[in-house]
Amino acid sequence: MDIAYTCTSCGRAIVTDEVVYRCPDCTSTTGEAAHGFQRGNLSVELKTARRFALHKPVDPLAFLPIPVKHAGGYPVGSTPLIAPHRLREKTGYHNLFLKLDSLNPSGSLKDRASLLVAEQAKAHAVDTVTLASTGNAGASMACAGAAYGLRVVLFVPGSAPRAKLLQSLMYGAAVVPIQGTYDDAFGLSIEYTRAFGGINRNTGFNPFTVEGKKTVSIEMYNQLGCRVPDVVYVPVGDGVIISGVCKGFADLVKTGLAVRMPVVVAVQAVGSNAIARSWKEHREVVLNRTSTIADSLSVASPACGGMALEWLKRTKGRAVEVSDGEISTAQSELGREAGAFVEPSSAAAWAGFLKDRSNVDPSASVAVLLTGTGFKDTGAAEKLVSLPEPCAADLASAERLLEQRYR
Ligand SMILES: Cc1ncc(COP(=O)(O)O)c(C=O)c1O
């Protein structure tokens, strides 16, 4: 199947039935993501959706570059956009929404990209998908692989949260923990694909990962009565989710369905802030090391940093940094006051809104993207709460425990 690509850097158009990762014109000869900033990444040209009528919900899958034929076995998307009443009251933002993308099949927004990559593998008759991950993309691709019958080879830093690795193994993936960082795993997985074939799903390296993630924006547009929100907060590591989010809104504008882009705010952890610093310092920043409790945001050399910065400019957005303390507070608040149990990376988006809201009119419609569930990082939760020792099974003991612990 021929697929049309346009290079987001030099604009070269390519139509090919081969799997394409980098632009042949402007990528380096090695094409490794280790260069940090995405110079030659390709985005798939949108060729659909002009046929849609205005002000009617649209099918997000129709915006994807290839038809999705097997989605029934891997039900991605259609996640709730909730109106968190208590947080609305507390903050005074009465058009505040939380997009619960943590409710995707494997527990994260990454499923949107994995769905498209699984379809890509089927379209190219390939049976192996290889990737590097901080945990969620791997679990997500493993889940898709199980549904689609694909072999998934997953390179992860040994420090990735255990539950995400166990989850990947349960889905049948070949998990290869390495003594190194996510950036090391990224390079190794590309080397593996070169040597052994198959498709590489590395986030930001395979252009389908950006394309797949854009369905979240088209869903939000539908859920808001065919309107784009005024401001969107997105947690950022490699910069792929935010690029996909923006591409989704741009596709809506391009097709004439929306008249404007929302302001998009990138939220990074202070200890992993390559994109936020690049934004503020107007130069490419690559970090020597990262340190944050938001492990999914822990990226020294973002695969899609250049693209993310371009989108911030195009949406008149900005970058915000939040500390680990702010992330933890936000994680507790989302759990206790919205019933949203999310992992620290997602909580960063909420912390980003709290920090940045002085720049946002209280009447604005604000969407905060909650990208990953808290269930697979209970280690992070254990830093915030602890279970009491069991008490004797009588009322007096229960009352005593309640009095001592929860007064
Ligand atoms: C749950 C979650 N949120 C946010 C991110 C950051 O996305 P990106 O690396 O595309 O910026 C990740 C990446 O792993 C993630 O797993």
Side-chain angles (χ1 to χ4, degrees):
M1 180 199 312
D2 276 349
I3 296 170
Y5 300 83
T6 307
C7 176
T8 49
S9 189
C10 72
R12 172 167 171 183
I14 305 166
V15 179
T16 177
D17 63 355
E18 287 179 18
V19 179
V20 175
Y21 299 109
R22 294 297 177 102
C23 172
D25 278 357
C26 64
T27 194
S28 74
T29 47
T30 61
E32 298 288 347
H35 296 290
F37 278 73
Q38 199 74 9
R39 290 178 53 247
N41 198 16
L42 300 161
S43 75
V44 180
E45 194 62 62
L46 180 78
K47 286 197 159 177
T48 56
R50 288 209 183 276
R51 60 200 153 97
F52 296 125
L54 284 173
H55 305 308
K56 286 206 178 130
V58 289
D59 176 6
L61 298 183
F63 285 74
L64 296 177
I66 56 173
V68 172
K69 295 184 177 161
H70 310 272
Y74 181 47
V76 174
S78 301
T79 57
L81 182 74
I82 64 163
H85 300 294
R86 292 179 63 200
L87 294 178
R88 282 181 168 194
E89 273 313 308
K90 190 171 176 178
T91 58
Y93 283 78
H94 293 286
N95 284 311
L96 173 68
F97 297 91
L98 302 177
K99 178 69 170 164
L100 299 188
D101 238 45
S102 45
L103 297 183
N104 273 303
S106 81
S108 84
L109 183 148
K110 303 275 173 171
D111 287 332
R112 295 179 184 276
S114 298
L115 172 76
L116 191 57
V117 173
E119 291 286 347
Q120 183 188 26
K122 286 289 177 197
H124 288 285
V126 162
D127 64 3
T128 301
V129 177
T130 299
L131 75 159
S133 172
T134 55
N136 281 326
S140 165
M141 194 64 234
C143 181
Y148 278 73
L150 298 165
R151 178 170 173 259
V152 174
V153 180
L154 170 57
F155 293 90
V156 286
S159 59
R162 241 179 117 66
K164 293 180 184 174
L165 304 187
L166 292 173
Q167 181 188 12
S168 306
L169 289 167
M170 287 300 290
Y171 292 138
V175 177
V176 186
I178 61 153
Q179 295 167 352
T181 63
Y182 166 64
D183 298 81
D184 298 327
F186 201 98
L188 188 57
S189 75
I190 292 171
E191 220 178 301
Y192 182 89
T193 307
R194 283 224 182 91
F196 299 104
I199 283 183
N200 190 292
R201 184 223 178 269
N202 277 6
T203 193
F205 180 67
N206 184 330
F208 275 42
T209 54
V210 173
E211 290 298 313
K213 287 167 186 171
K214 72 188 183 186
T215 57
V216 71
S217 305
I218 295 154
E219 264 177 45
M220 285 193 279
Y221 163 85
N222 287 339
Q223 289 165 321
L224 291 170
C226 301
R227 287 206 173 80
V228 301
D230 294 320
V231 190
V232 184
Y233 287 84
V234 185
V236 172
D238 263 317
V240 181
I241 290 180
I242 195 168
S243 298
V245 165
C246 293
K247 180 82 193 307
F249 289 121
D251 283 355
L252 286 166
V253 172
K254 191 169 170 185
T255 52
L257 295 168
V259 289
R260 61 171 175 83
M261 298 284 284
V263 170
V264 177
V265 183
V267 185
Q268 289 216 286
V270 169
S272 181
N273 59 357
I275 290 177
R277 273 188 58 195
S278 301
W279 174 253
K280 283 168 198 156
E281 296 173 23
H282 307 288
R283 66 182 181 95
E284 179 184 322
V285 175
V286 172
L287 308 172
N288 292 326
R289 58 181 290 276
T290 58
S291 168
T292 171
I293 54 164
D295 52 89
S296 303
L297 307 185
S298 188
V299 179
S301 170
C304 229
M307 199 191 282
L309 292 168
E310 270 309 308
W311 282 118
L312 287 186
K313 269 189 233 153
R314 279 182 63 182
T315 65
K316 301 187 173 44
R318 51 193 171 267
V320 178
E321 291 178 37
V322 289
S323 68
D324 279 0
E326 288 166 327
I327 292 173
S328 294
T329 305
Q331 194 184 10
S332 294
E333 191 171 48
L334 284 170
R336 285 167 179 266
E337 297 184 44
F341 179 33
V342 298
E343 66 165 66
S345 60
S346 303
W350 177 243
F353 164 68
L354 294 178
K355 197 157 194 173
D356 184 64
R357 69 183 149 148
S358 59
N359 296 313
V360 180
D361 191 285
S363 66
S365 64
V366 177
V368 179
L369 200 48
L370 301 183
T371 45
T373 179
F375 291 122
K376 43 184 166 168
D377 191 0
T378 49
E382 269 166 334
K383 291 185 184 124
L384 303 174
V385 289
S386 65
L387 276 173
E389 286 301 315
C391 66
D394 59 69
L395 198 53
S397 305
E399 273 188 311
R400 205 163 34 250
L401 189 152
L402 283 164
E403 178 64 18
Q404 284 165 359
R405 267 299 293 266
Y406 304 105
R407 203 166 1 132

